Amino acid sequence: MLQAVKSANPGHGDEPWVGRSIERVEDAALLSGRGRFIDDLGVAPGTLHATILRSPHAHADILSIDAEAAKRLPGVAAVLTGSDVKAVTTSLVVGVKAPVECWPIAMDRVRYVGEPVAVVVATDRARAEDAAELINVEYRPRGAVVDPLGAIAAGAPVLHDGFPGNLASDRAFRYGEPEKAFADAPHRFSIDIRYPRNSCTPIETYGVVASHDAGEGTYEVLANFQGPFSIHTVIARALKVPGNRLRLRTPPDSGGSFGVKQGVFPYIVLIAAAARITGRPVKWIEDRLEHLTASVSATNRATTLSAAVAADGKILALDWDQVEDCGAHLRAPEPATLYRMHGNLTGAYDISHVKVRNRVVVTNKTPTGLNRGFGGPQVYFALERLVHRIAIGLGLDPLDVIKRNLIVSGAFPYRTATGALLDSGNYQEAVARAVEQGRLAELKAKRDAARAEGRLYGIGFTAVVEPSVSNMGYITTVLTAAERRKAGPKNGAQATATVGLDPVGSVTVHVASVPQGQGHRTVLSQVVADVFGLEPKDIRVNTEIDTAKDAWSIASGNYASRFAAAVAGTAKIAAERVAGKLARIAASQLNVEAADIVFAKGFVASKHNPENRIAFSRVAALSHWSPGSLPDDAGQTIRETVFWTPPELTPPDDDDRINSSLCHGFIFDFCGVEIDPTKLETRIDRYVTMHDCGTILHPGMVNGQIRGGFTQALGAALLEEYAYAEDGSFLTGTLADYLLPTTTEVPEPEIFHMETPSPFTPLGAKGVGEGNCMSTPVCLANAVADALGIADITLPLVPARLAELVRGAEPPPPAGAAVAPAREGDRRLRGEGQAVVKGAPEQVWAMLLDPATLQSVIPGCQRVDKVTDTHFRADVTLGIGPVTGRYRADVELFELDPPRAVTLRGGATGALGFGSAEGRITLAPDGNGGTKLTYSYDAAIGGKVASIGGRLLDGATRVIIGQFFTALARKAGGGRAEGGSFSPFALLAKAAGLFGGRR
């Protein structure tokens, strides 16, 4: 057994590098524009570029795909549809055992807006996008469902035959004696929560570069995939190759992820298939509109949570009923979001009795995946809102109820009812410090003064446990004990690190963890420098992953806040093993015992005689230059690779208890907010957050992680929601509709720390990057509920939603007011008006029915085909804002009364949108030799609804109609339009054009 050798006098004086906020190694390149992101890296000559044609429908059968025109376009190498991809791949792994397939591209049916329908591969991206607009897809729409409870209601549209009633999983759990606790308790409180769907929006979107070697039968893929690398197995299986035939690499830099880049893996399969079919490398970079519409998001969840409560506010039992919405496809690792927190369903509280029902459903929305907080926001919003309600219901102070239920300080390691092993903590001390340092008494006095003045001011509290370093076995809790025994055990959280020494004694560290801005290279250089008595600048750190060359495991990757606790700790172990060998070598040369060796200030020296020393670089290089001179018991010191997994992470037991994460930090937050009584805007007056994340490795970056999590959580609380119409159309597809917090909206939180090192991790560190995403949304909600004196509250806390809570729903229109019927899920456009055109009604009538004339006057019209005298088809290219697209309009004429009146009805379909409309036009002489046209129209928009140009929809429609009649007037010899006019083709095509097309 090699002894662990620690450096004496590491770094500066006796102060170790770990624990200091040194300058980040990464910043020089990133801040000067020299980062190496996936789209910055060169590609092989002959590389093709892909664009993806996506479904405008949330649920529809694909009747036909006509890609001939696209294939004929110069520069197009291939157009892939479902059948092409299916020929060279197999279904992705589905997250539960069920007769369901999951493909990276639609086969015969689309199930969410944005689902890939075809992939166009061309010599450049622009040509590929031009070709995609030439593809004609015929759909037959089906009914859609977007609400998780509605999905399991009788009669709901079914997405997959293998998920009867859209139910993918239904499991019940029981811990302790919850029924008895509820029967005996003097009080019962219950709360219904609808946690909304939101997502991460990293600066950099998905990217994939794939190639296929037909001779070797291998794939090589470069992707900004973050892990977990268990998905490598999923990708290899989908591509129908052994794992050693799939080389997956990551770029040196990643422009953020926060979890969402786990979701790039279906596109890895899709682009790799394109590379195999074309025989050339293929590159695909996702654009922002695609990312918002079709990348993964966090799950939305419907929760009913009940508590059995004693008279003093002590919670005796919990009853969870959770319905998880995983979107259209249950892709691995889902339903991980639901089960990651299974061991932590009692939060920071000492609760012995728990009952749980977990249901997983599918809906016509984007598939879900990893997202910062990963299940924590959904759990803690319900739990901490319930604690607030208990306090109000019993007439107690919410903080007193929190403190009464906290796990006592002497109980750690503490086993929760559902199986988590909470490693360390002193929650009472953390709360006391936060209350004092955060000046809670002052905040309460401020609230009292504000209320005395009639202002809306509230204080919110929350206490949460932040799990980190996920146990791979937690997801198997979705299976029964018998099913788990049949499948074999799955558990652990293996981390990998390699420390190597080169022929001049330089130190290199490699870890299988892809950074996304956390500062891996800086922290690892601190950790290893302390072991070797060097400076961080002496350590070179490589965080790229190459599965063909590097040491990695299926648990590798950057997720679940595992870097500080697991990855950095594993690097420390690897460095200590190398140091132990170097100590034996140095001891033999210095004629001392190995136990007398110390590493300090670039030397390896005798602890008792510091002048008896040798340069670190010389000792470190000996395995290269003179391996024969090494002591027999030293072994080589060229490279040491360590695979580490903690023994505390075991599989679920037969009673479904699972220690779902290795270590558990603690967060206590409180805040004061004021609500504007007129605008109902929420202003954060003060936000205090206390963190215990064990040993702090780099204080500056820890605070940066806390600020980042707080900012993202503030967005979830006040601004962000992936919104869908009832027909599944996506309503928030641009950053004008999916609002993100900026520095203007984000206050500076007051951050405080205490450290209770974890006994389970090599450095005593715990995760810290996700915690405020779990605590802040509910803390703000509790404060707003306190300010407004309301019981129920739903995120995001936008003014319109608060106005409805405070003032009630808007009153119905007065009796007698005309209200046109609306079709569910449609965005409605209605209008009426007049136009004057020179020429007699007979002349104008003839022009309206002449294809050549229509082609010349419809804005953006490419061609008009006359199917019959009363049936026309047109191809139109239109755009607004960031979107331009090609759309096909199909219009028929009814109720003809030539030349006086006609009714037009039809639809238009484009790449990402569709519309339908009906209008009535009447023509009458104006008395001056011209024609007066009177019109009325009613249009409905579907697909990617109102998210692109949505704020300009009505105005843009009027503009395009006006353009049509201006051109018509010119064609007729002059004239004018009054209040806008009506064109069936222009309206229909424009309506669809607002929702998709070229980016």
Side-chain angles (χ1 to χ4, degrees):
M1 176 70 68
L2 295 174
Q3 70 181 81
V5 179
K6 298 182 179 179
S7 63
N9 195 26
H12 176 69
D14 291 327
E15 182 183 359
W17 290 106
V18 168
R20 298 168 59 188
S21 296
I22 67 171
E23 184 175 343
R24 282 172 34 113
V25 175
E26 297 85 353
D27 287 350
L30 296 177
L31 296 178
S32 59
R34 291 182 286 111
R36 294 177 295 157
F37 303 94
I38 189 167
D39 205 22
D40 299 322
L41 305 180
V43 295
T47 296
L48 300 170
H49 296 262
T51 193
I52 296 173
L53 179 68
R54 299 178 181 275
S55 167
H57 296 275
H59 201 192
D61 296 311
I62 300 174
L63 301 181
S64 64
I65 302 177
D66 182 0
E68 292 307 311
K71 293 177 180 178
R72 291 195 298 267
L73 196 69
V76 173
V79 177
L80 282 62
T81 61
S83 58
D84 301 309
V85 175
K86 192 172 186 178
V88 296
T89 66
T90 191
S91 170
L92 299 171
V93 174
V94 178
V96 296
K97 300 289 186 183
V100 171
E101 293 183 340
C102 177
W103 299 90
I105 188 171
M107 292 299 162
D108 53 3
R109 196 200 307 188
V110 294
R111 293 178 172 88
Y112 64 95
V113 171
E115 184 165 15
V117 174
V119 180
V120 181
V121 184
T123 52
D124 58 72
R125 176 69 179 255
R127 291 177 190 271
E129 291 190 348
D130 287 343
E133 292 185 354
L134 299 176
I135 300 173
N136 185 20
V137 185
E138 186 179 356
Y139 298 96
R140 181 173 58 218
R142 289 173 174 248
V145 60
V146 296
D147 177 71
L149 298 181
I152 53 178
V158 175
L159 274 71
H160 302 270
D161 293 339
F163 291 150
N166 296 316
L167 190 62
S169 174
D170 187 350
R171 284 224 64 201
F173 307 87
R174 181 180 175 275
Y175 306 94
E177 298 182 341
E179 297 85 0
K180 184 177 187 302
F182 272 97
D184 295 344
H187 301 283
R188 179 186 180 119
F189 291 88
S190 186
I191 192 168
D192 290 317
I193 295 296
R194 293 294 191 95
Y195 199 87
R197 175 176 286 220
N198 52 41
S199 191
C200 311
T201 44
I203 293 175
E204 180 195 43
T205 57
Y206 293 165
V208 178
V209 183
S211 62
H212 178 255
D213 186 327
E216 294 284 338
T218 59
Y219 289 93
E220 180 171 331
V221 176
L222 174 70
N224 51 15
F225 174 65
Q226 69 166 75
F229 274 72
S230 55
I231 301 296
H232 180 277
T233 304
V234 173
I235 298 170
R237 178 185 180 278
L239 292 173
K240 299 197 288 192
V241 294
N244 63 1
R245 300 288 177 176
L246 169 62
R247 181 184 185 185
L248 179 56
R249 298 185 295 118
T250 63
D253 293 309
S254 176
S257 171
F258 319 107
V260 75
K261 281 183 180 159
Q262 167 269 342
V264 72
F265 77 89
Y267 295 100
I268 294 176
V269 175
L270 195 57
I271 302 306
R276 176 174 176 177
I277 290 170
T278 60
R280 292 166 63 179
V282 177
K283 178 179 180 178
W284 171 74
I285 301 294
E286 181 188 51
D287 68 36
R288 178 60 59 189
L289 301 183
E290 287 180 294
H291 185 81
L292 285 167
T293 303
S295 68
V296 298
S297 73
T299 60
N300 55 294
R301 185 178 301 175
T303 301
T304 297
L305 177 60
S306 302
V309 184
D312 63 353
K314 181 72 173 74
I315 301 172
L316 307 173
L318 293 175
D319 185 349
W320 289 89
D321 187 345
Q322 303 182 105
V323 180
E324 184 86 333
D325 179 358
C326 286
H329 300 286
L330 196 65
R331 293 177 183 154
E334 292 288 34
T337 308
L338 180 59
Y339 281 93
R340 183 217 179 180
M341 298 294 295
H342 195 78
N344 303 106
L345 290 175
T346 51
Y349 305 124
D350 181 16
I351 303 171
S352 301
H353 309 287
V354 182
K355 185 179 181 182
V356 186
R357 185 184 184 188
N358 284 342
R359 283 173 285 179
V360 179
V361 303
V362 289
T363 63
N364 293 111
K365 293 187 286 195
T366 55
T368 58
L370 275 62
N371 198 282
R372 195 174 193 168
F374 199 39
Q378 295 87 337
V379 163
Y380 287 126
F381 193 85
L383 181 58
E384 295 300 305
R385 283 292 299 129
L386 182 60
V387 170
H388 179 91
R389 289 274 292 273
I390 290 169
I392 301 304
L394 296 178
L396 302 173
D397 185 325
L399 180 55
D400 287 341
V401 175
I402 287 174
K403 292 193 292 187
R404 185 163 293 123
N405 286 283
L406 290 174
I407 299 165
V408 298
S409 59
F412 295 94
Y414 173 88
R415 182 76 68 176
T416 70
T418 52
L421 185 62
L422 308 189
D423 46 331
S424 65
N426 187 334
Y427 300 168
Q428 289 79 7
E429 177 66 18
V431 171
R433 290 191 193 183
V435 166
E436 179 184 356
Q437 297 172 18
R439 310 179 312 283
L440 177 59
E442 176 187 300
L443 196 64
K444 286 184 174 180
K446 190 171 187 178
R447 176 180 64 180
D448 294 342
R451 289 181 173 178
E453 297 173 3
R455 289 152 51 200
L456 302 174
Y457 196 103
I459 295 176
F461 302 92
T462 190
V464 310
V465 166
E466 177 179 5
S468 53
V469 189
S470 289
N471 180 356
M472 289 187 298
Y474 76 84
I475 185 57
T476 65
T477 314
V478 73
L479 305 175
T480 65
E483 290 171 330
R484 292 194 297 267
R485 284 191 291 270
K486 184 177 181 180
K490 292 179 176 61
N491 64 288
Q494 193 156 257
T496 308
T498 298
V499 173
L501 306 176
D502 70 11
V504 294
S506 300
V507 181
T508 299
V509 180
H510 178 268
V511 293
S513 180
V514 184
Q516 299 130 28
Q518 297 97 328
H520 283 25
R521 292 169 57 200
T522 301
V523 173
L524 289 169
S525 70
Q526 291 176 275
V527 170
V528 175
D530 276 347
V531 174
F532 290 136
L534 303 173
E535 296 188 16
K537 65 181 178 64
D538 299 324
I539 314 298
R540 174 72 174 172
V541 178
N542 182 356
T543 56
E544 300 170 64
I545 295 182
D546 183 338
T547 60
K549 297 181 178 180
D550 299 326
W552 61 281
S553 171
I554 61 171
S556 297
N558 187 11
Y559 59 97
S561 294
R562 70 196 311 269
F563 170 69
V567 177
T570 305
K572 177 178 185 289
I573 294 172
E576 287 177 341
R577 289 185 182 179
V578 173
K581 296 178 180 181
L582 292 178
R584 283 177 162 74
I585 297 171
S588 67
Q589 296 198 355
L590 300 177
N591 198 27
V592 298
E593 294 295 324
D596 189 35
I597 292 295
V598 65
F599 293 77
K601 297 182 178 180
F603 290 92
V604 185
S606 166
K607 187 185 303 181
H608 300 96
N609 180 14
E611 297 304 316
N612 184 20
R613 65 184 188 179
I614 186 171
F616 173 86
S617 58
R618 184 165 182 176
V619 178
L622 273 177
S623 280
H624 288 278
W625 295 106
S626 185
S629 65
L630 300 181
D632 293 338
D633 63 345
Q636 61 82 26
T637 59
I638 292 176
R639 174 175 294 188
E640 187 75 36
T641 296
V642 170
F643 293 87
W644 175 81
T645 192
E648 293 79 13
L649 297 184
T650 55
D653 66 18
D654 285 349
D655 295 319
D656 294 313
R657 290 180 176 85
I658 177 65
N659 184 25
S660 38
S661 296
L662 173 65
C663 39
H664 300 82
F666 177 70
I667 304 170
F668 173 69
D669 290 356
F670 66 86
C671 65
V673 305
E674 185 166 4
I675 313 297
D676 185 294
T678 303
K679 297 183 290 184
L680 277 301
E681 291 179 341
T682 301
R683 179 183 67 84
I684 300 173
D685 186 39
R686 186 192 301 171
Y687 197 98
V688 174
T689 182
M690 164 62 79
H691 286 254
D692 177 1
C693 62
T695 303
I696 295 175
L697 307 184
H698 189 294
M701 281 196 276
V702 164
N703 283 353
Q705 287 291 311
I706 292 170
R707 287 187 178 92
F710 171 72
T711 300
Q712 195 160 337
L714 186 144
L718 301 181
L719 300 170
E720 301 179 39
E721 180 180 12
Y722 268 26
Y724 292 82
E726 291 183 11
D727 70 345
S729 299
F730 189 52
L731 302 177
T732 45
T734 72
L735 296 181
D737 296 280
Y738 187 77
L739 301 180
L740 298 172
T742 70
T743 53
T744 304
E745 292 84 29
V746 182
E748 181 71 12
E750 296 184 22
I751 303 171
F752 301 103
H753 294 282
M754 64 176 283
E755 299 180 54
T756 56
S758 172
F760 300 157
T761 66
L763 289 162
K766 309 176 186 181
V768 73
E770 301 174 88
N772 279 98
C773 282
M774 304 177 187
S775 63
T776 295
V778 67
C779 188
L780 290 173
N782 282 340
V784 170
D786 182 49
L788 299 178
I790 55 178
D792 296 317
I793 198 162
T794 302
L795 300 183
L797 304 171
V798 294
R801 184 165 285 159
L802 295 183
E804 187 170 306
L805 290 171
V806 173
R807 300 167 186 159
E810 289 189 16
V819 180
R823 288 178 288 189
E824 288 186 359
D826 288 338
R827 174 70 183 263
R828 310 300 299 176
L829 296 172
R830 297 182 180 86
E832 57 184 24
Q834 296 178 339
V836 176
V837 179
K838 286 187 177 180
E842 292 80 4
Q843 180 186 359
V844 177
W845 179 272
M847 293 173 63
L848 286 173
L849 302 184
D850 176 50
T853 303
L854 289 173
Q855 182 171 336
S856 68
V857 299
I858 294 175
C861 187
Q862 309 297 318
R863 60 181 292 174
V864 174
D865 295 323
K866 185 175 182 180
V867 182
T868 69
D869 288 344
T870 58
H871 185 185
F872 297 85
R873 290 197 179 111
D875 284 348
V876 184
T877 300
L878 293 168
I880 184 173
V883 177
T884 299
R886 183 167 179 165
Y887 305 91
R888 293 163 189 83
D890 196 295
V891 178
E892 294 188 73
L893 282 60
F894 301 89
E895 301 173 352
L896 281 72
D897 184 13
R900 288 180 289 273
V902 63
T903 298
L904 303 101
R905 185 184 306 139
T909 302
L912 293 176
F914 54 90
S916 61
E918 183 172 308
R920 181 71 174 174
I921 299 178
T922 60
L923 295 79
D926 68 352
N928 296 315
T931 298
K932 180 179 180 179
L933 292 89
T934 303
Y935 73 90
S936 64
Y937 65 85
D938 183 356
I941 312 303
K944 197 174 179 183
V945 183
S947 58
I948 300 171
R951 300 174 189 276
L952 304 174
L953 185 59
D954 295 312
T957 302
R958 295 180 188 279
V959 167
I960 207 71
I961 291 171
Q963 291 174 351
F964 169 79
F965 273 95
T966 298
L968 182 65
R970 279 199 305 267
K971 194 79 173 177
R976 60 191 174 87
E978 300 174 354
S981 300
F982 180 78
S983 156
F985 297 118
L987 173 64
L988 292 170
K990 185 62 189 178
L994 292 174
F995 304 104
R998 183 188 305 169
R999 275 67 67 190

